Structures are given as structure tokens and as C-alpha cells.
Amino acid sequence: MTDFRLRVFAAVARHLSFTKAGQELFVSQPAVTKHIRELEAQYGQRLLERRGNRVSLTEAGRLLHAHAEAVAASSQQLAEQLLGLRDPDEAAGRLRLGASTTLSQYVLPGWLPAFQARYPQVQLSLLSANSERIAEALLRGELDLGFVEGRTKNRDLHYELLLPDELVAVRRATPAGPPTRPLPLAEALASPLVLRERGSGTLEVLEMALRERKIKLSELRVAFYLDSTEAIKSYLEAAPEALGFVSRQALARELAAGLLEVVPVQGLALPRQFEAVWVQGQPLPRPAQRFLSYGQQRAKTVA
């Protein structure tokens, strides 16, 4: 029921990018420009300031963005309520998920097809980013439900346990196989280390565990900070001296193929939790409720 031009404008306002808005809505950049110009002509106001590749909202644009988001939320609520009158157990409408990279690569893809088959009227999207960015997107209203890792909590967000996990030290597989005894911590940390980037839940868990042992990352020999677990695993396969720390959830293929091996480290346990997260005090829309319930059921079978 909403004007598609408002959806286009809202996407541009969220991303501050015509290109990213077009990618989100599967329309061309010229089409995005056309819709924005039509809105500006309709309201007789400039909605966006464009300087080269940079886009910013005018005062009128900020006002229209707030209206567009309210219209979208109202339309979503109406769709849910109408469907609820017909079938209280059903769900429909938009569901914007966000997940930290480990979850988006190794956990959620196996869940999505069955959920889509059960709830075909839910329009799913999934943002993959580190835990810090997922929290920011939730607070900006860009996501309905997030899934993150790590220990830091934002008091404006509500967290619920989804799935236990642990980080393990891993290296390129050796002819002798994994050590039969745990490596001393000092020996393990003397290796060139390959770690996740700042803002990731994986790095946060490791850094906090080392801090408890009065060890700073700045004191260690870090070869690379990389922005994905896949990049870390590929690096380790090519670097026999290096050591990385990744989720056990992410290692099934490499361990089975004999490409990488887990290295036990003395006195270094790295348990963590994958958690569902949404804005504190804000009720979850029906599609998000259904996905959360579905995910928690699936997590029980994995655990």
C-alpha cells in the first residue's frame, strides 16, 4: 500500500547512497534518481544534498525519512494484524535480519530455506557485519532482529541466548597431527597471529581472555587483522608458522579435509555465546517472533 518512491527514498536515506539503495531494492541507479526527483518535484523541496559521491539529508529530507519509516512500520503492522485475523499462527511482511559474520556464514544459511518454506509470505533480508555494526543497525531501526557474538552488551538492546560456541586455536595441518599435549600459552602466543578485525565479537572474546592474564594484544606478534573467518582460514592454509583463533562452528570442512588442525593451548579456554538481540522495550514484529522461535528450536538440535 505504500508509495514505492517512499521506499526508494527511505533506502537512500538509510545508506546515504544511491547505489546501495538500488542494490537493496533491485532497481537501477537511474531509477533511484528518477524516483527521488519525482518526490522532490511533488513536495517542492530538495530532499538530498549531493556533492560528488557524498549524499546527505536536508531538513525536509529528514522529515520525510521519519514519515517514510513510520508509514513502512504502519503498513507492516497492518499486514500482520490482517493475517493474524485469518491465521493466528501465520506470519507475513518484511523481516530484516542482521548477523555477525560467523553466524551469517556458518549457522543461519542452514536455517533459512526451511523457514522460507514454512512462512513464504515473509520477505527476508540478511545483513552480514561484525557484532558492533549489527548493534548500531538495530539502534538505527535498520534491522528487526540481530544475532551476535561476544561479551559486550549495550543497555539499549535486549539479548537472549541462542547457541553456545567456543573459539579454538588453529593452524595449518602438520604431518605429525595436532599436539597430544596442550601448548604452553607463551609458546602459542609467540607464533605470528592472524586475528579478526576490531569490532568483531571473536576478537573481543580473545582480547578479554588475554586481558585476564595481563596480556595485551599490542605486546603480541600479530601478522594480520582480517575481516572474515574465511580469510583467516585461507591465510592459515598458506602460512605454516601462523596461528589463528576461530569458531569451532566454522571448521568442519577444513578439519575433515585435513587442511587445518586445532591446537589445544594450556590455560586458555574461550567459550562464548551466540545471542539473539533486538531493541530493548520494543516488541518484535510477528515475522521476527517466528524466526526467533524457529532459530531457538534449531539451536537446541545443534547444541
Side-chain angles (χ1 to χ4, degrees), residues 276-297:
V277 56
W278 61 93
V279 177
Q280 188 78 257
Q282 181 174 301
L284 283 173
R286 187 188 297 264
Q289 292 174 19
R290 295 292 181 266
F291 192 86
L292 176 60
S293 176
Y294 170 79
Q296 289 172 331
Q297 299 253 345

Side-chain angles (χ1 to χ4, degrees), residues 141-152:
E142 296 171 6
L143 298 174
D144 302 305
L145 179 63
F147 298 94
V148 298
E149 59 211 58
R151 295 181 181 176
T152 297

Side-chain angles (χ1 to χ4, degrees), residues 122-135:
V122 174
Q123 300 170 349
L124 276 168
S125 64
L126 175 62
L127 169 68
S128 177
N130 65 39
S131 297
E132 186 176 277
R133 287 188 57 203
I134 295 301

Side-chain angles (χ1 to χ4, degrees), residues 51-254:
R51 294 187 178 88
N53 293 326
R54 300 184 64 183
V55 178
S56 61
L57 292 171
T58 64
E59 184 176 353
R62 286 190 290 273
L63 181 62
L64 184 61
H65 183 214
H67 171 75
E69 291 294 319
V71 168
S74 179
S75 179
Q76 167 87 354
Q77 186 179 38
L78 175 61
E80 291 176 14
Q81 290 174 347
L82 289 172
L83 188 65
L85 292 175
R86 190 181 74 195
D87 184 350
D89 294 325
E90 195 47 84
R94 178 184 67 177
L95 175 53
R96 302 166 301 169
L97 299 173
S100 56
T101 47
T102 301
L103 282 153
S104 66
Q105 288 180 321
Y106 307 107
V107 178
L108 293 190
W111 297 0
L112 294 174
F115 181 83
Q116 289 175 304
R118 172 64 183 85
Y119 298 104
Q121 297 187 71
V122 174
Q123 300 170 349
L124 276 168
S125 64
L126 175 62
L127 169 68
S128 177
N130 65 39
S131 297
E132 186 176 277
R133 287 188 57 203
I134 295 301
E136 292 170 354
L138 282 164
L139 293 170
R140 289 196 300 266
E142 296 171 6
L143 298 174
D144 302 305
L145 179 63
F147 298 94
V148 298
E149 59 211 58
R151 295 181 181 176
T152 297
K153 301 289 190 295
N154 186 311
R155 64 183 180 182
D156 295 321
L157 297 174
H158 174 81
Y159 297 81
E160 282 193 13
L161 173 65
L162 181 71
L163 186 67
D165 184 39
E166 71 168 326
L167 300 181
V168 292
V170 63
R171 69 185 181 193
R172 190 168 87 174
T174 58
T180 56
R181 296 181 179 179
L183 288 184
L185 180 58
E187 181 180 340
L189 296 181
S191 305
L193 301 179
V194 191
L195 306 177
R196 283 292 306 275
E197 84 287 3
R198 292 285 176 187
S200 76
T202 298
L203 183 65
E204 179 196 9
V205 170
L206 175 63
E207 191 168 17
M208 290 181 73
L210 293 177
R211 193 179 301 141
E212 290 171 0
R213 292 156 180 78
K214 304 193 184 307
I215 300 171
K216 298 179 181 178
L217 282 183
S218 58
E219 300 169 346
L220 303 179
R221 184 182 167 196
V222 179
F224 263 106
Y225 290 98
L226 296 171
D227 65 358
S228 76
T229 298
E230 286 299 307
I232 289 177
K233 292 190 296 184
S234 296
Y235 185 99
L236 292 173
E237 288 176 29
E241 302 299 323
L243 191 72
F245 292 88
V246 301
S247 166
R248 191 175 284 278
Q249 296 271 353
L251 289 171
R253 181 182 66 84
E254 290 78 13

